Amino acid sequence: MKRRLKYGILIFVIIICSSTIPNYGYSEKACCQEENIILWSNDRKLKWEDFKGVPDTSHSVLVTVAGTTSVINFEYKTTESIITSYKIESIFVKNKSWTLTSDTQVLAHEQLHFDITELYARRIRKAFDSLKSRKNYIEDNYVKVYNRNIMQKNELDDLYDNQVYGNDINQNLWIKKISNEILKLKKYEYLPDD
């Protein structure tokens, strides 16, 4: 029981969506300075130094030792409710993520929440590409796909937490599972413009 309490994790998920016309969709990234965010990258894993936020355990039933904010940023342009371009990014927000520990297993747990965010960012990109290939540019359809995937992501985050608390074996199984799912969607990896 003590181990379960030690690994209780509070996860924050921000759902971003807007139907502003003809401007970009609302962007969490737009309100965050570049030095305060980390774009997901297979080559860049989270470090405890990335967690710059102030701990907030007021809403947690368990003793919470870390909190992660990871966001699927959805920016798009429209003309008369028709999507003309879009961008989907998986972002870790430093000043909204915090820790009270330096435990490596807890860090691996937090990293996997960020990886789950990336998995759903890729699933959204794939679904958007499918809409685009069918010449479906209606803004509402993109927003529905986005919102449905965010709900599924939140459910997977909850399932992950429920199956992993204090169980290193399950943690490792989840790491392999999510890594494989991300790899299957390699084609939909976001590569930022340099």
Side-chain angles (χ1 to χ4, degrees), residues 2 5 16 28 53 67 78 96 101 108 139 146 162 165 177:
K2 287 183 182 177
L5 293 177
I16 301 121
E28 179 69 17
T78 62
K96 294 183 182 179
T101 184
E139 178 183 12
Y146 176 83
N162 290 333
Y165 283 136
K177 174 185 172 183

Side-chain angles (χ1 to χ4, degrees), residues 17 21 28-29 32 42 68 74 76 78 82-83 85 87 101 105 107 113 115-116 118 125-126 131 151 154 181 191:
C17 187
I21 300 171
E28 179 69 17
K29 183 180 174 187
C32 299
N42 198 43
T68 291
F74 175 22
Y76 59 96
T78 62
I82 301 297
I83 295 277
S85 66
K87 177 169 62 171
T101 184
Q105 194 66 18
L107 182 59
H113 278 294
D115 294 345
I116 289 170
E118 173 61 16
R125 285 186 209 109
K126 180 180 179 182
L131 287 171
M151 287 176 48
N154 293 344
E181 291 297 315
L191 301 172

Side-chain angles (χ1 to χ4, degrees), residues 55-96:
D56 176 13
T57 58
S58 61
H59 298 99
S60 178
V61 176
L62 299 173
V63 174
T64 306
V65 296
T68 291
T69 298
S70 58
V71 174
I72 296 177
N73 185 53
F74 175 22
E75 295 177 11
Y76 59 96
K77 287 185 180 180
T78 62
T79 302
E80 297 178 11
S81 296
I82 301 297
I83 295 277
T84 57
S85 66
Y86 57 84
K87 177 169 62 171
I88 303 292
E89 298 172 307
S90 179
I91 297 171
F92 174 85
V93 184
K94 294 178 183 181
N95 70 350
K96 294 183 182 179

Side-chain angles (χ1 to χ4, degrees), residues 25-180:
Y26 177 77
S27 166
E28 179 69 17
K29 183 180 174 187
C31 67
C32 299
Q33 296 178 349
E34 288 294 320
E35 65 270 7
N36 191 44
I37 64 171
I38 299 170
L39 286 176
W40 188 94
S41 169
N42 198 43
D43 299 328
R44 167 56 161 97
K45 300 300 179 191
L46 295 176
K47 303 175 284 197
W48 282 128
E49 296 79 33
D50 298 326
F51 291 70
K52 306 279 188 196
V54 177
D56 176 13
T57 58
S58 61
H59 298 99
S60 178
V61 176
L62 299 173
V63 174
T64 306
V65 296
T68 291
T69 298
S70 58
V71 174
I72 296 177
N73 185 53
F74 175 22
E75 295 177 11
Y76 59 96
K77 287 185 180 180
T78 62
T79 302
E80 297 178 11
S81 296
I82 301 297
I83 295 277
T84 57
S85 66
Y86 57 84
K87 177 169 62 171
I88 303 292
E89 298 172 307
S90 179
I91 297 171
F92 174 85
V93 184
K94 294 178 183 181
N95 70 350
K96 294 183 182 179
S97 302
W98 55 270
T99 185
L100 298 173
T101 184
S102 59
D103 184 274
T104 56
Q105 194 66 18
V106 175
L107 182 59
H109 183 95
E110 296 304 309
Q111 177 65 53
L112 197 65
H113 278 294
F114 192 23
D115 294 345
I116 289 170
T117 301
E118 173 61 16
L119 172 62
Y120 276 89
R122 290 183 186 201
R123 287 180 177 176
I124 292 168
R125 285 186 209 109
K126 180 180 179 182
F128 282 9
D129 283 359
S130 177
L131 287 171
K132 187 176 174 182
S133 71
R134 295 190 316 259
K135 300 190 185 315
N136 182 336
Y137 304 107
I138 300 169
E139 178 183 12
D140 192 48
N141 293 334
Y142 287 76
V143 171
K144 285 177 184 174
V145 165
Y146 176 83
N147 288 335
R148 182 178 64 241
N149 275 276
I150 292 299
M151 287 176 48
Q152 291 170 355
K153 178 212 169 300
N154 293 344
E155 290 169 4
L156 188 63
D157 272 326
D158 290 343
L159 179 64
Y160 166 57
D161 277 339
N162 290 333
Q163 290 186 1
V164 171
Y165 283 136
N167 187 323
D168 295 347
I169 293 170
N170 281 354
Q171 172 79 20
N172 291 331
L173 292 173
W174 271 84
I175 289 170
K176 288 177 187 173
K177 174 185 172 183
I178 298 302
S179 295
N180 287 336

